[in-house]
Amino acid sequence: MGLKIRRKKALFIILGVVAVLFVLNLFHVFNIFSCNPFANQAQVRFYDEIEPVNEEDSVRLRELLYGKPLHYDSPSCGFGEDVSVSFGGDTFMPARDGDDIVENNGKYLTLTKAENEEFHEILEKYGVTFPCV
């Protein structure tokens, strides 16, 4: 009987730790992967122009950008909010030289070659051209 109680306690502790890590990830305290279940319509910024993104493209951009593992890096591609995609206060800054790296809250995610091409095609509809250095 004592073994069952210990297993239940261990299970609750593990579930608690996972829940805390998920909540911290939502608030970008401890990012493991890009995640925002409350992401709304996207906006594309290209220097002084800010364009709202239609619903279909917003959905696809969410699929391309969220759920990817984030990592630290020091790429030399060049990133900035003046070339970015935003979902509310969550900003993704693609590499200005056209590479497949995207900055999000001081960390980086990497798109596949096909995802990067699709990402650039969507952004081009809203006036963004690559390379834009």
Side-chain angles (χ1 to χ4, degrees):
M1 183 120 177
L3 187 59
K4 286 185 179 182
I5 292 173
R6 284 189 206 151
R7 285 185 181 169
K8 284 183 182 180
K9 283 183 181 180
L11 179 63
F12 283 124
I13 289 171
I14 291 170
L15 291 174
V17 168
V18 169
V20 167
L21 289 175
F22 181 74
V23 169
L24 289 175
N25 187 67
L26 283 177
F27 294 102
H28 303 292
V29 174
F30 181 66
N31 283 354
I32 300 170
F33 57 93
S34 60
C35 175
N36 183 353
F38 310 109
N40 53 9
Q41 183 179 6
Q43 286 187 333
V44 172
R45 180 175 183 172
F46 190 58
Y47 297 105
D48 295 330
E49 299 293 323
I50 298 175
E51 295 287 331
V53 177
N54 70 38
E55 184 62 32
E56 182 182 331
D57 288 339
S58 287
V59 168
R60 188 59 189 138
L61 287 171
R62 278 193 299 269
E63 292 170 354
L64 288 169
L65 298 171
Y66 285 110
K68 302 262 190 246
L70 293 170
H71 58 277
Y72 287 107
D73 200 352
S74 17
S76 60
C77 305
F79 302 89
E81 287 189 28
D82 52 347
V83 179
S84 61
V85 176
S86 298
F87 295 90
D90 203 9
T91 304
F92 292 88
M93 297 169 281
R96 292 182 187 189
D97 63 0
D99 279 356
D100 55 1
I101 302 170
V102 180
E103 182 180 346
N104 178 241
N105 294 305
K107 292 187 180 180
Y108 301 88
L109 60 94
T110 304
L111 300 172
T112 66
K113 183 177 179 180
E115 288 173 334
N116 195 42
E117 288 173 4
E118 183 179 4
F119 182 58
H120 287 182
E121 285 175 13
I122 293 171
L123 295 183
E124 285 174 5
K125 292 182 190 178
Y126 299 95
V128 180
T129 57
F130 290 95
C132 52
V133 284

